[in-house]
Amino acid sequence: MRRSPKGTGAIGPAVGAVLAGGGGRRIGGTKAAVELAGRPLIFYPLAAVEAAGLEAIVVAKRDSALPSLGCPLIEEPERPRHPLCGIVAALRYAGGRPLIAIGCDMPFVPPALLSWLASVPQPLAVPTLEGHPQPFPARYSRGLLPALEQGLANLQSMRRTIESLGPLLLEEEELAAFGDPGRLCFNVNTLEDLRKAEELLGATRGEPPRTV
Protein backbone atom coordinates (compact mmCIF):
# COMPACT_ATOMS: atom_id res chain seq x y z
CA MET A 1 0.00 0.00 0.00
CA ARG A 2 1.42 3.38 -1.02
CA ARG A 3 0.78 6.54 0.96
CA SER A 4 1.80 10.13 0.50
CA PRO A 5 4.43 11.41 2.96
CA LYS A 6 2.05 13.33 5.20
CA GLY A 7 2.01 13.15 8.97
CA THR A 8 -0.83 11.14 10.49
CA GLY A 9 -1.32 13.55 13.37
CA ALA A 10 -1.97 10.62 15.69
CA ILE A 11 -0.01 10.06 18.87
CA GLY A 12 1.33 6.54 19.04
CA PRO A 13 4.52 4.51 19.03
CA ALA A 14 7.68 5.77 17.44
CA VAL A 15 7.94 5.14 13.71
CA GLY A 16 10.53 2.70 12.45
CA ALA A 17 11.35 3.59 8.84
CA VAL A 18 13.22 1.11 6.68
CA LEU A 19 14.79 3.10 3.85
CA ALA A 20 14.80 1.31 0.50
CA GLY A 21 15.22 4.08 -2.08
CA GLY A 22 18.80 3.28 -3.12
CA GLY A 23 19.66 2.08 -6.60
CA GLY A 24 21.64 -1.01 -5.55
CA ARG A 25 23.94 -0.83 -8.58
CA ARG A 26 26.87 -2.52 -6.81
CA ILE A 27 24.78 -5.56 -5.94
CA GLY A 28 23.05 -5.85 -9.31
CA GLY A 29 19.54 -4.70 -8.43
CA THR A 30 17.30 -3.28 -5.73
CA LYS A 31 18.92 -4.29 -2.45
CA ALA A 32 15.63 -4.69 -0.62
CA ALA A 33 14.63 -7.64 -2.80
CA VAL A 34 17.99 -9.41 -2.83
CA GLU A 35 17.72 -12.72 -0.98
CA LEU A 36 19.75 -13.38 2.14
CA ALA A 37 19.46 -16.99 3.33
CA GLY A 38 16.22 -17.41 1.36
CA ARG A 39 14.51 -14.20 2.53
CA PRO A 40 14.41 -10.72 0.99
CA LEU A 41 17.05 -8.57 2.65
CA ILE A 42 14.50 -5.95 3.72
CA PHE A 43 12.63 -8.51 5.84
CA TYR A 44 15.44 -8.57 8.43
CA PRO A 45 15.32 -4.90 9.50
CA LEU A 46 11.51 -4.93 9.20
CA ALA A 47 11.36 -7.81 11.67
CA ALA A 48 13.61 -5.90 14.07
CA VAL A 49 11.41 -2.79 13.83
CA GLU A 50 8.28 -4.80 14.57
CA ALA A 51 9.93 -6.69 17.44
CA ALA A 52 10.94 -3.33 18.94
CA GLY A 53 7.27 -2.30 19.08
CA LEU A 54 7.62 0.50 16.55
CA GLU A 55 5.22 1.32 13.73
CA ALA A 56 6.94 -0.13 10.67
CA ILE A 57 6.99 1.74 7.37
CA VAL A 58 9.10 1.41 4.22
CA VAL A 59 10.28 4.46 2.30
CA ALA A 60 11.27 4.01 -1.36
CA LYS A 61 11.18 5.48 -4.84
CA ARG A 62 8.10 4.88 -6.98
CA ASP A 63 10.06 2.53 -9.25
CA SER A 64 11.75 0.55 -6.45
CA ALA A 65 11.38 -3.20 -6.91
CA LEU A 66 10.15 -4.48 -3.56
CA PRO A 67 8.78 -7.76 -2.23
CA SER A 68 5.25 -7.87 -0.86
CA LEU A 69 5.15 -5.79 2.34
CA GLY A 70 2.79 -5.93 5.29
CA CYS A 71 3.25 -2.27 6.22
CA PRO A 72 2.70 1.20 4.69
CA LEU A 73 4.95 2.15 1.80
CA ILE A 74 5.85 5.84 1.63
CA GLU A 75 7.02 7.30 -1.66
CA GLU A 76 10.02 9.59 -1.58
CA PRO A 77 10.84 11.99 -4.45
CA GLU A 78 12.44 10.51 -7.54
CA ARG A 79 15.32 12.98 -7.37
CA PRO A 80 17.81 13.24 -5.91
CA ARG A 81 18.94 9.77 -4.90
CA HIS A 82 20.16 10.72 -1.46
CA PRO A 83 19.53 9.08 1.95
CA LEU A 84 18.12 12.35 3.27
CA CYS A 85 15.20 11.94 0.84
CA GLY A 86 13.93 8.96 2.79
CA ILE A 87 14.49 10.53 6.20
CA VAL A 88 12.65 13.71 5.25
CA ALA A 89 9.71 11.77 3.78
CA ALA A 90 9.51 9.54 6.87
CA LEU A 91 9.65 12.50 9.28
CA ARG A 92 6.76 14.15 7.45
CA TYR A 93 4.77 10.94 7.79
CA ALA A 94 5.63 10.51 11.47
CA GLY A 95 4.22 13.88 12.50
CA GLY A 96 5.35 14.59 16.06
CA ARG A 97 6.50 11.06 16.80
CA PRO A 98 10.15 10.03 16.99
CA LEU A 99 11.55 8.44 13.86
CA ILE A 100 13.99 5.54 13.98
CA ALA A 101 15.61 5.19 10.55
CA ILE A 102 17.34 2.02 9.41
CA GLY A 103 18.70 0.94 6.04
CA CYS A 104 17.04 -1.92 4.18
CA ASP A 105 20.52 -3.44 3.83
CA MET A 106 21.16 -3.81 7.58
CA PRO A 107 20.19 -7.36 8.59
CA PHE A 108 21.78 -7.47 12.04
CA VAL A 109 20.35 -4.50 13.96
CA PRO A 110 18.74 -5.84 17.16
CA PRO A 111 15.30 -4.72 18.36
CA ALA A 112 16.79 -3.66 21.72
CA LEU A 113 18.93 -1.01 20.04
CA LEU A 114 15.94 0.36 18.13
CA SER A 115 13.90 0.48 21.35
CA TRP A 116 16.70 2.36 23.10
CA LEU A 117 16.93 4.91 20.29
CA ALA A 118 13.18 5.46 20.51
CA SER A 119 13.41 6.11 24.26
CA VAL A 120 16.12 8.78 24.41
CA PRO A 121 14.98 12.42 24.70
CA GLN A 122 17.58 13.94 22.39
CA PRO A 123 16.37 15.02 18.93
CA LEU A 124 19.18 13.15 17.16
CA ALA A 125 20.91 10.05 18.46
CA VAL A 126 23.35 8.01 16.38
CA PRO A 127 25.84 5.18 16.91
CA THR A 128 29.53 5.63 16.14
CA LEU A 129 31.89 3.19 14.47
CA GLU A 130 35.64 3.74 14.35
CA GLY A 131 35.06 7.28 15.58
CA HIS A 132 32.55 8.20 12.87
CA PRO A 133 28.82 8.86 13.43
CA GLN A 134 26.57 6.47 11.53
CA PRO A 135 23.32 7.70 9.94
CA PHE A 136 21.57 4.36 10.52
CA PRO A 137 20.15 3.12 12.73
CA ALA A 138 19.46 6.47 14.30
CA ARG A 139 16.78 8.59 15.94
CA TYR A 140 15.52 11.72 14.17
CA SER A 141 12.93 14.12 15.58
CA ARG A 142 10.51 16.48 13.83
CA GLY A 143 12.37 19.60 14.96
CA LEU A 144 15.31 18.58 12.76
CA LEU A 145 13.21 18.70 9.60
CA PRO A 146 14.18 22.23 8.42
CA ALA A 147 17.90 21.50 8.77
CA LEU A 148 17.53 18.14 7.05
CA GLU A 149 15.56 19.69 4.19
CA GLN A 150 18.29 22.31 3.78
CA GLY A 151 20.95 19.63 3.77
CA LEU A 152 19.03 17.77 1.08
CA ALA A 153 18.63 20.90 -1.02
CA ASN A 154 22.41 21.42 -0.80
CA LEU A 155 23.12 17.72 -1.46
CA GLN A 156 25.17 17.75 1.72
CA SER A 157 26.65 14.45 2.80
CA MET A 158 24.88 12.51 5.54
CA ARG A 159 27.94 12.58 7.78
CA ARG A 160 28.34 16.35 7.50
CA THR A 161 24.64 16.88 8.09
CA ILE A 162 24.63 14.73 11.21
CA GLU A 163 27.76 16.31 12.66
CA SER A 164 26.32 19.81 12.17
CA LEU A 165 23.27 18.94 14.30
CA GLY A 166 25.12 18.05 17.51
CA PRO A 167 23.83 14.50 17.94
CA LEU A 168 23.90 12.30 21.00
CA LEU A 169 26.67 9.84 20.12
CA LEU A 170 26.43 6.21 21.17
CA GLU A 171 30.11 5.27 21.44
CA GLU A 172 31.31 1.78 20.54
CA GLU A 173 31.74 0.84 24.19
CA GLU A 174 28.08 1.65 24.81
CA LEU A 175 26.97 0.13 21.51
CA ALA A 176 28.62 -3.13 22.56
CA ALA A 177 25.86 -3.58 25.15
CA PHE A 178 23.61 -4.48 22.19
CA GLY A 179 26.12 -6.73 20.42
CA ASP A 180 29.25 -6.48 18.30
CA PRO A 181 29.32 -2.90 16.92
CA GLY A 182 30.72 -3.91 13.53
CA ARG A 183 27.99 -6.49 13.09
CA LEU A 184 25.19 -4.16 14.22
CA CYS A 185 26.18 -1.52 11.67
CA PHE A 186 26.96 -3.98 8.88
CA ASN A 187 25.60 -2.98 5.45
CA VAL A 188 25.09 -5.26 2.48
CA ASN A 189 26.29 -3.22 -0.48
CA THR A 190 27.99 -5.80 -2.70
CA LEU A 191 27.77 -9.50 -3.52
CA GLU A 192 30.81 -10.01 -1.29
CA ASP A 193 28.93 -8.32 1.57
CA LEU A 194 26.00 -10.64 0.89
CA ARG A 195 28.26 -13.69 1.19
CA LYS A 196 29.70 -12.34 4.44
CA ALA A 197 26.18 -11.75 5.80
CA GLU A 198 25.29 -15.36 5.00
CA GLU A 199 28.37 -16.52 6.89
CA LEU A 200 27.44 -14.34 9.88
CA LEU A 201 23.92 -15.76 9.88
CA GLY A 202 25.31 -19.26 9.72
CA ALA A 203 27.60 -18.56 12.69
CA THR A 204 24.63 -17.24 14.66
CA ARG A 205 22.68 -20.42 13.96
CA GLY A 206 25.64 -22.67 14.76
CA GLU A 207 26.02 -23.86 11.17
CA PRO A 208 29.44 -24.96 9.83
CA PRO A 209 31.16 -22.39 7.61
CA ARG A 210 30.70 -22.78 3.86
CA THR A 211 33.56 -24.17 1.81
CA VAL A 212 34.36 -23.01 -1.70
Side-chain angles (χ1 to χ4, degrees):
M1 177 171 59
R2 292 185 182 270
R3 297 186 182 180
S4 60
K6 294 182 179 179
T8 62
I11 301 299
V15 174
V18 180
L19 306 186
R25 290 184 298 276
R26 286 188 289 168
I27 206 168
T30 303
K31 285 194 285 187
V34 170
E35 287 202 353
L36 170 60
R39 300 174 63 204
L41 185 56
I42 196 173
F43 283 7
Y44 292 88
L46 273 176
V49 167
E50 292 168 355
L54 312 181
E55 179 190 342
I57 65 171
V58 171
V59 185
K61 305 288 187 187
R62 179 181 291 273
D63 62 354
S64 298
L66 300 171
S68 179
L69 302 169
C71 65
L73 175 58
I74 311 302
E75 288 184 9
E76 63 177 72
E78 292 302 308
R79 291 288 184 270
R81 287 195 177 272
H82 192 292
L84 281 172
C85 271
I87 295 172
V88 167
L91 272 175
R92 290 172 179 165
Y93 171 88
R97 295 176 291 165
L99 172 73
I100 312 305
I102 179 173
C104 73
D105 57 357
M106 303 183 75
F108 303 121
V109 177
L113 175 56
L114 302 181
S115 297
W116 180 85
L117 288 168
S119 71
V120 300
Q122 285 82 358
L124 178 59
V126 302
T128 62
L129 195 61
E130 298 180 352
H132 300 297
Q134 304 298 305
F136 312 114
R139 173 196 173 98
Y140 298 85
S141 298
R142 179 77 180 191
L144 301 172
L145 192 52
L148 296 174
E149 290 172 331
Q150 187 61 53
L152 179 59
N154 295 336
L155 297 181
Q156 187 170 271
S157 71
M158 279 297 304
R159 180 170 294 172
R160 184 175 178 184
T161 300
I162 288 173
E163 290 174 345
S164 71
L165 294 172
L168 170 68
L169 298 176
L170 181 61
E171 304 291 347
E172 284 192 52
E173 294 79 6
E174 301 166 295
L175 189 59
F178 301 98
D180 176 69
R183 178 186 170 100
L184 301 187
C185 296
F186 184 82
N187 296 87
V188 177
N189 291 311
T190 65
L191 291 175
E192 180 60 33
D193 291 339
L194 188 63
R195 287 190 286 271
K196 183 175 180 180
E198 289 175 344
E199 292 174 359
L200 289 170
L201 280 175
T204 299
R205 296 167 180 167
E207 298 172 4
R210 294 186 178 186
T211 58
V212 178

